[in-house]
Amino acid sequence: MASNQGHMNINSHQFNGYMENQQHDDKSKVNMSHTVGLDISKFGQGSSSDINCNTGMNMSALGAVGGNMNRNYGGGMAVTPTMGFTNGYNKWTTNSDEAESMEVTEIDGGIMEGGGQILRIAIALCSIQHKPISISRIRANRTNPGLRPQHMTGMQLVRDLCSGQLTGDQVGAQHVTFIPGMLQSGTFLADTGTAGAVSLLLQVALPCLMFTPGTSHLTLRGGTNAEMAPQIDYTTCVLKPMLELFGVRMDCRIVTRGYFPRGGGEVTVQSSPVRQLRAVDLTNFGTIKRITGRAFVAGVIPFKIAQQMAKSATSVLWRTYREVPINIQAVQEPKNAVVGNGTGIIVVAETTTGCRLSGSSLGRKGIQAEQVGADAAEMLLRNLSYGCCVDEYLQDQLIIYMALAAGRSRLKTGPITLHTQTAMHIAQMMTQAQFSLVQAAPPSTESYIIECEGIGHRNPHF
């Protein structure tokens, strides 16, 4: 992502390529902003790179919507806000009856990672900052493009949180528009009707809940332990304690576990708002204090499968960390608290500085239980090998909180994933927070420090 001695400032409007095959050293730094059709995958080899593509995009904060808005928006491909609205509505701050003009930020949902993460970050930031958006080419990089039930449900949940106006929210749709209203606290229900991950419903809603007037209660239904998404155990054991460092206050209770293909799981969440998120510094790994884990079976799957996963994971981890306490429990889920059959494992390392890193795996047809356990352990070992504070699945989930927090946040992590690059791009585009990426020393570790100068967004209700 950087030249050998270089420092890149990229200030334009749309990343158009996967940042890879980069050369890094401890002096390399990338300052990422919005880029227009810019393929930075070939940067490197130079001594210095300064790229400025200022397009005069107006990203000023937009007013709130309190009345009926015209839903006839045209489509678009750029990520610059190019369409204007004029309609009557009451400004939240002044209760004025004056007509106001609003611009809609258009986002290409097929750039970079090109999946559901673009939707989740964009919709959340849209509602928090009261910026209408239009998203086209939704999930264009997937084999089944367009909205799936979990994406649609997540967007509808945020719509309900702010009494906004959402159009195009149908399964398979590749274009949606959203005009947010005022974020409110209350009791909300979101049900994917499938095995779509409840953790991803929480991922889109939780940042919004930080800026409501009071305590909120969510009931989220779908899959609790699903492929291609964080297991709910990751949310409770890793994400939650790390978000608490930003000031996030959230309790999550697993009522029923649901597995593919039926779903049917249920999670309840209680959250309290904050005046402002605080910046974090997660660059000191410390030493490993303990490794814990949970190997589970549910439904008709015999308990011995959980025992085999736990034993295998323990054996793999013990070879590297013989002096560290390792406690991986084998669990048979209560029959009255599950829907369907499932099996899997999560292992979590906790450090003396409070960092949490994880490895996980789900059972699959034709895969031996011992291999499932070993896969989870090896994933954890890989994350620990970088000497970092944030694992590969947490780095992208923290980006939105870094952007909204007050002050400079720093995260030390391993190789930067495409999900994280995409999250930084969308967050910076919509908030004007400034992200940079620096290779940590020594360069052979493939570890990096993500820095962000957050915007210090304030809760308007406090």
Side-chain angles (χ1 to χ4, degrees), residues 26-249:
D26 54 56
K27 298 181 181 179
S28 300
K29 185 172 183 178
V30 178
N31 190 1
M32 299 194 305
S33 195
H34 327 307
T35 64
V36 183
L38 179 63
D39 182 357
I40 69 170
S41 65
K42 298 180 177 61
F43 282 106
Q45 306 295 331
S47 59
S48 178
S49 298
D50 251 315
I51 302 168
N52 291 290
C53 304
N54 300 314
T55 63
M57 179 173 68
N58 179 12
M59 290 296 287
S60 59
L62 303 178
V65 179
N68 294 324
M69 297 300 295
N70 184 351
R71 295 192 180 205
N72 296 321
Y73 330 134
M77 293 186 297
V79 293
T80 55
T82 57
M83 298 185 296
F85 282 95
T86 302
N87 208 337
Y89 68 100
N90 295 330
K91 293 176 67 177
W92 291 334
T93 54
T94 65
N95 293 320
S96 169
D97 290 328
E98 299 175 357
E100 299 288 339
S101 177
M102 301 181 66
E103 285 184 325
V104 175
T105 300
E106 294 188 11
I107 296 177
D108 182 349
I111 62 171
M112 302 179 73
E113 178 264 341
Q117 186 195 52
I118 294 175
L119 294 173
R120 290 187 290 273
I121 293 180
I123 289 292
L125 289 173
C126 162
S127 64
I128 291 168
Q129 298 189 109
H130 324 312
K131 294 183 178 181
I133 61 172
S134 174
I135 307 176
S136 60
R137 297 206 314 131
I138 291 172
R139 299 182 67 249
N141 290 353
R142 298 297 183 261
T143 56
N144 55 343
L147 290 178
R148 303 307 301 157
Q150 71 182 31
H151 308 110
M152 181 185 70
T153 305
M155 298 177 76
Q156 291 170 340
L157 174 58
V158 174
R159 175 202 63 194
D160 294 345
L161 291 175
C162 68
S163 296
Q165 298 185 39
L166 176 64
T167 60
D169 51 327
Q170 298 176 347
V171 173
Q174 297 189 43
H175 181 218
V176 297
T177 53
F178 183 50
I179 303 175
M182 188 70 165
L183 282 169
Q184 56 197 349
S185 50
T187 299
F188 304 91
L189 168 67
D191 187 345
T192 66
T194 68
V198 295
S199 61
L200 297 182
L201 297 179
L202 182 60
Q203 194 177 106
V204 68
L206 187 58
C208 305
L209 296 175
M210 295 301 100
F211 300 99
T212 59
T215 299
S216 291
H217 302 267
L218 303 183
T219 298
L220 308 176
R221 294 174 182 161
T224 57
N225 302 79
E227 292 280 6
M228 307 301 293
Q231 295 188 46
I232 193 61
D233 305 276
Y234 185 93
T235 300
T236 58
C237 297
V238 179
L239 178 64
K240 179 179 180 292
M242 301 305 276
L243 287 182
E244 288 172 350
L245 301 176
F246 288 89
V248 172
R249 294 182 290 175

Side-chain angles (χ1 to χ4, degrees), residues 289-350:
K289 183 164 60 175
R290 67 175 68 93
I291 297 175
T292 57
R294 187 177 192 275
F296 71 88
V297 293
V300 301
I301 300 175
F303 179 60
K304 69 177 183 180
I305 298 297
Q307 294 174 310
Q308 290 167 352
M309 289 188 295
K311 182 178 179 180
S312 175
T314 300
S315 176
V316 171
L317 292 168
W318 185 79
R319 294 173 201 158
T320 303
Y321 294 105
R322 298 193 176 194
E323 304 302 319
V324 175
I326 300 174
N327 180 18
I328 302 174
Q329 296 181 332
V331 177
Q332 173 79 59
E333 302 289 3
K335 293 189 181 299
N336 63 352
V338 300
V339 176
N341 306 310
T343 179
I345 181 173
I346 182 170
V347 287
V348 179
E350 182 180 352

Side-chain angles (χ1 to χ4, degrees), residues 421-460:
Q421 295 171 32
T422 306
M424 287 191 284
H425 169 58
I426 297 296
Q428 183 161 292
M429 182 189 74
M430 295 192 66
T431 66
Q432 303 303 295
Q434 296 299 308
F435 284 90
S436 61
L437 190 61
V438 183
Q439 185 166 18
S444 60
T445 61
E446 291 189 86
S447 59
Y448 302 86
I449 294 177
I450 302 172
E451 296 181 346
C452 176
E453 196 65 46
I455 63 172
H457 184 79
R458 292 182 179 273
N459 190 329

